[in-house]
Amino acid sequence: MDELELADWREQVTRLYLSDLDLAGFRAARDALFAGHPQSPIPLADRPRFTGLRYFPPNTAAVVDVPVRPATGTISIDTGGPDGVVHYRRTGIAETPWGPLTLWWIEAYGGGLFLPFRDGTATQETYGGGRYLTDTVKGTYGRGVTVLPGGRLRLDFNYAYNASCAYDDRWACPLAPEENRITAPIRAGERTYH
């Protein structure tokens, strides 16, 4: 049953993100999950040849503690798929060394933090639509975005990852809105799949 497999996929992702694995162990476990789980976004036809995702080398400069200033307003993003239009509320703006990035709260049952971004590596080295640093609805807690005391965040772009639509057209994903598009390259995290 697809729904039970999807629930298991989300549980496995959450367990991985909350594990005590280091970056190398995390990437190896993520590759194994993508290779073998029925709900993996890797196309079935590609799985026999799948040997792992492509990543930038670990980058200590891509881990930053940043202030967050308040933000207001909402945005709606049409996923182009069965989720339809998803509504988000601005939670804050993270002042990163590469430019400001808006942190979103998903306005749906249960809510969740969402930080999509598109940087200067998009289309050449990373997925053209951008990547995610966190999407807590999907269970990606505590690695890419960590809430710190005093209105600050730790952002670790080594955990930046592609949305499911980057692997297979059968998926529809909300992409980085204009205000989360920065020109500076952030060479950390996941690279293009193809």
Side-chain angles (χ1 to χ4, degrees), residues 4-10 12 32-41 47:
L4 294 179
E5 288 176 350
L6 181 57
D8 182 66
W9 168 265
R10 288 184 180 170
Q12 298 304 317
L33 185 62
F34 273 58
H37 198 283
Q39 285 289 321
S40 170
R47 290 187 197 169

Side-chain angles (χ1 to χ4, degrees), residues 68-80:
V68 180
R69 61 182 162 88
T72 59
T74 60
I75 190 171
S76 298
I77 300 175
D78 188 345
T79 65

Side-chain angles (χ1 to χ4, degrees), residues 73-170:
T74 60
I75 190 171
S76 298
I77 300 175
D78 188 345
T79 65
D83 290 334
V85 176
V86 180
H87 304 283
Y88 302 87
R89 178 173 37 87
R90 288 176 186 87
T91 299
I93 298 175
E95 299 294 345
T96 80
W98 305 279
L101 291 174
T102 301
L103 185 66
W104 303 92
W105 184 260
I106 301 165
E107 295 276 277
Y109 177 77
L113 290 177
F114 183 49
L115 202 161
F117 71 99
R118 185 178 190 268
D119 67 295
T121 65
T123 70
Q124 299 298 314
E125 299 172 89
T126 62
Y127 180 59
R131 296 178 285 165
Y132 296 168
L133 205 49
T134 195
D135 182 354
T136 60
V137 166
K138 303 295 173 95
T140 59
Y141 298 95
R143 290 201 180 246
V145 175
T146 305
V147 178
L148 302 174
R152 297 181 65 79
L153 295 175
R154 175 167 297 128
L155 304 178
D156 188 341
F157 288 89
N158 291 292
Y159 291 96
Y161 62 96
N162 291 326
S164 297
C165 54
Y167 311 104
D168 190 336
D169 290 339
R170 70 186 168 112

